């Protein structure tokens, strides 16, 4: 049975073209720098985001944590939003791997106030009590479904530059952000020193993310990736799918976004559902269920029986995520099923 899977865009399956590319990939030992397919992916990825160099990592979490580990010294402080993936969904890894402390700011729908960042930057030699600020992190697109404005990113980057603090962009869904803004990725990544983006989400690759930055930064990160056990041998098998993801799957994100907007509009018409339509920038729809007998558990179970997989609510809201395998007909079918349950 085919399920419509709205739990996340991480559920995407590799395309037929990816499977063929993986099957045929020329590979070598990438720890020796001998894997031509991996080298091609890393070169292509660096160019695509306007950085000097790039490095393949197993997951987005790995890429973010490797960025912290590479930019910072132990005991440094990292300034970032209290609702970002690094704080909320990475198992506290920053304290274990990089050994840094996270200094969180209350975000305004994912956007950080540049002046509040400036006020928190500290120099180690300023005061005997102070840790030094090692890094600022921003997230775009944000996991709340919104895209952060380029103006906001620009002013944060300017502050980082002025105080000699690098900026890392968690761009797990960088190409969704670029699609929404109608710009090429470097228009976003010019406001960061390093960027992580996922091949495995909306772009459908089975495994992998990319960390990109200056050549010096990536050389350092490559060694630290090895330390973390992330030196992968014939990884060109995975890079082959990654190349298809970057070359052929970015365009389709537009359709995922259109389907999310349609989903939001149609769900809003249902009594008892309040969808945050103004926040649908990418492929995510958030909504709450009010004044009905339908709990989120009931919705999960009821939809499952109709061949639709969703996650239960988090923070009082349910999230539906569209992806490459979600069609417009699926969207309308899901809305019909929700209507019958609420
Ligand atoms: C998914 C995601 C990650 C982590 O990616 P994994 O491959 O699941 O580890 C990091 N940041 C954001 C914003 C994400 O959405």
């Amino acid at each position: 049975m085919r399920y419509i899977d709205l739990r996340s865009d991480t559920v995407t399956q590799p395309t037929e073209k990816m499977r063929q590319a993986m099957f045929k990939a020329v590979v070598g030992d990438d720890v020796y720098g001998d894997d031509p397919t991996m080298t091609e992916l890393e070169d292509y990825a660096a160019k695509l985001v306007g950085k000097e160099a790039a490095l393949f990592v197993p997951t987005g979490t790995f890429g973010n944590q490797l960025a912290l580990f590479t930019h910072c010294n132990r005991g440094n402080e990292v300034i970032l939003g209290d609702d970002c993936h690094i704080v909320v969904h990475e198992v506290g890894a920053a304290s274990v791997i990089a050994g840094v402390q996270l200094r969180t700011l209350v975000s305004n729908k994912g956007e950080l106030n540049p002046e509040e960042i400036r006020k928190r930057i500290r120099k180690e030699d300023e005061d005997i009590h102070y840790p030094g600020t090692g890094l600022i992190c921003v997230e775009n697109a944000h996991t709340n479904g919104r895209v952060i404005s380029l103006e906001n990113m620009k002013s944060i980057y300017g502050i980082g530059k002025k105080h000699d603090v690098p900026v890392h962009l968690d761009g797990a869904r960088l190409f969704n952000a670029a699609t929404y803004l109608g710009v090429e990725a470097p228009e976003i990544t010019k406001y960061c020193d390093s960027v992580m983006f996922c091949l495995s989400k909306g772009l459908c690759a089975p495994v992998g993310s990319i960390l990109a930055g200056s050549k010096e930064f990536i050389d350092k990160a490559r060694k630290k990736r090895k330390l973390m056990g992330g030196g992968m041998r014939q990884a060109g098998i995975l890079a082959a799918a990654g190349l298809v993801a970057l070359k052929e799957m970015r365009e389709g994100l537009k359709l995922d976004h259109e389907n999310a907007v349609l989903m939001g509009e149609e769900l809003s018409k249902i009594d008892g559902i309040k969808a945050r339509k103004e926040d649908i920038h990418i492929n995510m729809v958030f909504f709450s269920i009010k004044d009905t007998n339908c709990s989120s558990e009931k919705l999960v179970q009821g939809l499952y029986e109709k061949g639709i997989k969703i996650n239960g609510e988090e923070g009082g809201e349910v999230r539906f995520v569209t992806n490459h395998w979600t069609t417009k007909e699926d969207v309308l079918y899901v809305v019909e099923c929700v209507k019958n349950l609420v």
Side-chain angles (χ1 to χ4, degrees):
M1 170 165 179
R2 171 185 177 260
Y3 281 92
I4 298 170
D5 199 336
L6 303 176
R7 290 173 299 171
S8 177
D9 46 12
T10 56
V11 301
T12 47
Q13 298 269 324
T15 63
E16 191 53 37
K17 204 148 185 187
M18 286 178 188
R19 292 173 189 271
Q20 289 299 328
M22 291 172 82
F23 181 69
K24 290 191 207 133
V26 181
V27 297
D29 188 331
D30 185 51
V31 175
Y32 286 107
D34 273 354
D35 190 307
T37 311
M38 182 54 78
T39 304
E40 186 187 343
L41 171 68
E42 290 179 344
D43 289 349
Y44 187 86
K47 277 202 194 80
L48 194 60
V49 297
K51 297 291 178 204
E52 278 174 12
L55 182 70
F56 181 83
V57 288
T59 65
T61 301
F62 196 118
N64 280 336
Q65 295 302 327
L66 180 58
L68 267 58
F69 194 23
T70 307
H71 282 297
C72 300
N73 295 319
R74 291 185 88 75
N76 273 175
E77 195 161 64
V78 175
I79 301 176
L80 72 188
D82 61 351
D83 55 356
C84 74
H85 197 275
I86 293 173
V87 173
V88 182
H89 284 131
E90 300 192 4
V91 211
S95 63
V96 179
I97 299 170
V100 293
Q101 118 174 338
L102 301 180
R103 185 90 188 267
T104 57
L105 286 183
V106 177
S107 92
N108 176 21
K109 292 194 165 195
E111 215 162 281
L112 303 178
N113 181 332
E115 180 54 22
E116 293 297 319
I117 293 179
R118 193 198 58 74
K119 284 199 268 184
R120 282 166 181 78
I121 291 177
R122 304 196 275 180
K123 293 266 177 264
E124 228 162 295
D125 53 11
E126 227 174 295
D127 184 301
I128 197 171
H129 303 90
Y130 283 5
T133 303
L135 188 66
I136 299 163
C137 292
V138 290
E139 187 174 303
N140 205 9
H142 199 273
T143 23
N144 65 10
R146 289 177 61 89
V147 173
I148 306 308
S149 74
L150 291 177
E151 297 75 53
N152 183 249
M153 287 195 63
K154 184 179 178 182
S155 42
I156 291 171
Y157 188 57
I159 284 165
K161 271 269 158 302
K162 187 159 168 224
H163 297 271
D164 213 17
V165 179
V167 174
H168 172 69
L169 170 62
D170 177 350
R173 296 186 181 83
L174 174 68
F175 298 105
N176 295 83
T179 301
Y180 175 77
L181 293 169
V183 300
E184 295 296 328
E187 290 302 309
I188 303 175
T189 51
K190 70 183 179 192
Y191 301 125
C192 67
D193 297 284
S194 63
V195 56
M196 181 287 288
F197 58 90
C198 294
L199 303 168
S200 57
K201 290 187 171 168
L203 300 180
C204 294
V207 175
S209 292
I210 295 285
L211 180 64
S214 70
K215 180 165 185 314
E216 190 192 348
F217 172 79
I218 292 299
D219 285 347
K220 212 172 147 194
R222 193 177 291 279
K223 177 124 183 176
K224 296 214 177 223
R225 181 186 69 171
K226 188 78 180 90
L227 184 155
M228 286 166 68
M232 292 161 281
R233 303 295 178 175
Q234 285 71 33
I237 291 274
L238 298 173
L243 277 162
V244 177
L246 289 183
K247 289 179 180 175
E248 301 192 9
M249 304 302 288
R250 285 181 291 131
E251 199 126 309
L253 297 176
K254 196 158 177 280
L255 199 61
D256 300 349
H257 296 187
E258 285 168 12
N259 281 332
V261 168
L262 176 67
M263 181 88 84
E265 272 166 6
E266 293 302 314
L267 285 174
S268 294
K269 293 177 187 163
I270 302 173
D271 279 343
I273 289 209
K274 191 163 165 25
R276 275 198 277 125
K277 282 201 286 185
E278 69 284 6
D279 292 340
I280 307 174
H281 291 183
I282 57 169
N283 59 340
M284 296 177 181
V285 184
F286 290 85
F287 62 91
S288 48
I289 315 168
K290 293 258 161 67
D291 311 320
T292 83
N293 293 323
C294 185
S295 63
S296 107
E297 294 77 36
K298 264 193 191 164
L299 193 66
V300 172
Q301 187 54 36
L303 290 180
Y304 187 77
E305 283 160 15
K306 296 285 176 193
I308 303 159
K309 293 187 190 180
I310 63 163
N311 283 327
E313 69 178 11
E314 201 181 321
E317 283 186 316
V318 179
R319 182 186 78 163
F320 283 180
V321 185
T322 59
N323 67 57
H324 177 70
W325 304 101
T326 320
T327 65
K328 190 177 163 189
E329 289 68 42
D330 290 345
V331 171
L332 298 175
Y333 171 71
V334 168
V335 171
E336 204 49 42
C337 293
V338 172
K339 199 186 288 176
N340 292 334
L341 286 163
V342 170

